[in-house]
Amino acid sequence: MIATDAVMLSYDEPLAGELHVRLERVLRRPTKRLHGVRGMRRAYRLTAELVDYELYFLADGDFAISEDFDPTAVAPLAPDVSMRVWPALNPLNGLVYGYGGLKLMRRSDLYQLGNAVDVLAALPGRVEFSKDVAGTTRCNQSPYHAWKAAFRECAMLSQGSEYGMSKEGTRNRLAAWKSCGQGDFAEFAVAGAHEGMAFATGRGDHPDDLDKINDPGWLLARFTATHRTTGVTT
């Protein structure tokens, strides 16, 4: 097993505590937790300050790691790679890709993080995508969380992938998000997908507004105003 640390980055996910315990058990090591930090760029940078090793696993607060994931089989990152991503199954639309997946990070590269709407796309090195599925993204833990997942992802995808995904691949993912009809609170995800695309393509003279999707306060206020509910609890 390579020398690594592990961090869960959570904000308001109802199942984060339970999933943190699961992560520690599967990874077979203590897993630090950074919770409730506002501002995604700041939160990601702060994870690098928590760890004791150059390489560390990073999981979102809604990531349910597979019991079959074997941390002893994980190879170190190549010198030019800043991040490896293991895909996750999405329960809303059946997609399996990097969204919500497990990451292996290089601490020193987090201190050189640039600017991108999809924050980790601004790492200085190459991103490597594993073919092995590491778990499930439990992004639909409440009406709000299902809506937020779809709103943010479709807003970003409608601008084109920052990870080099083909236009056809982007279109296929958008179509899946817009038609997702499975899983808890799927109707809120469908609404979020359409609203996220409309927001991203209707910004006119305010292109910098897209970065608002990284502000949890703004997202919750928009959801509440549009859907007349906080929708945070299941």
Side-chain angles (χ1 to χ4, degrees):
M1 185 185 297
I2 60 174
T4 60
D5 220 320
V7 179
M8 170 178 274
L9 178 59
S10 59
Y11 188 76
D12 61 2
E13 302 85 353
L15 296 179
E18 175 184 324
L19 297 178
H20 178 255
V21 172
R22 178 182 177 126
L23 191 66
E24 282 196 313
R25 184 178 70 251
V26 175
L27 292 181
R28 307 176 202 175
R29 72 199 71 200
T31 299
K32 299 175 175 69
R33 184 173 170 190
L34 182 65
H35 181 75
V37 175
R38 188 161 179 171
M40 293 188 68
R41 223 166 262 108
R42 176 170 174 258
Y44 279 124
R45 287 193 176 111
L46 285 174
T47 65
E49 297 183 13
L50 294 179
V51 298
D52 301 312
Y53 296 97
E54 171 69 351
L55 298 181
Y56 66 103
F57 290 104
L58 180 63
D60 295 334
D62 54 10
F63 177 68
I65 193 169
S66 169
E67 298 284 357
D68 297 327
F69 185 82
D70 182 5
T72 67
V74 173
L77 299 180
D80 64 333
V81 174
S82 289
M83 175 173 69
R84 180 182 301 142
V85 181
W86 285 267
L89 170 67
N90 191 305
L92 288 165
N93 49 40
L95 291 173
V96 177
Y97 69 117
Y99 175 83
L102 181 67
K103 302 164 185 70
L104 182 65
M105 311 292 300
R106 193 185 299 281
R107 177 176 58 180
S108 57
D109 286 342
L110 263 296
Y111 295 120
Q112 303 177 58
L113 188 63
N115 291 317
V117 176
D118 192 338
V119 177
L120 294 181
L123 286 165
R126 184 167 58 89
V127 178
E128 180 179 272
F129 292 93
S130 173
K131 295 180 180 179
D132 299 321
V133 180
T136 300
T137 175
R138 298 289 302 277
C139 59
N140 58 332
Q141 296 176 34
S142 76
Y144 168 62
H145 289 92
W147 175 90
K148 179 179 71 170
F151 185 95
R152 292 190 69 254
E153 183 69 353
C154 290
M156 288 188 285
L157 287 174
S158 67
Q159 302 298 291
S161 170
E162 293 177 300
Y163 293 100
M165 187 191 307
S166 69
K167 290 183 178 179
E168 181 181 5
T170 302
R171 285 195 299 268
N172 290 342
R173 283 168 171 76
L174 282 168
W177 277 101
K178 288 191 296 180
S179 62
C180 55
Q182 59 195 61
D184 294 337
F185 313 116
E187 68 274 21
F188 288 94
V190 171
H194 287 274
E195 292 167 28
M197 288 186 66
F199 169 72
T201 57
R203 290 171 294 115
D205 296 329
H206 304 281
D208 292 341
D209 278 358
L210 189 59
D211 201 48
K212 289 179 178 177
I213 68 173
N214 293 322
D215 181 345
W218 181 88
L219 287 165
L220 182 57
R222 187 178 181 100
F223 173 80
T224 303
T226 304
H227 297 276
R228 306 302 178 189
T229 176
T230 59
V232 174
T233 57
T234 56

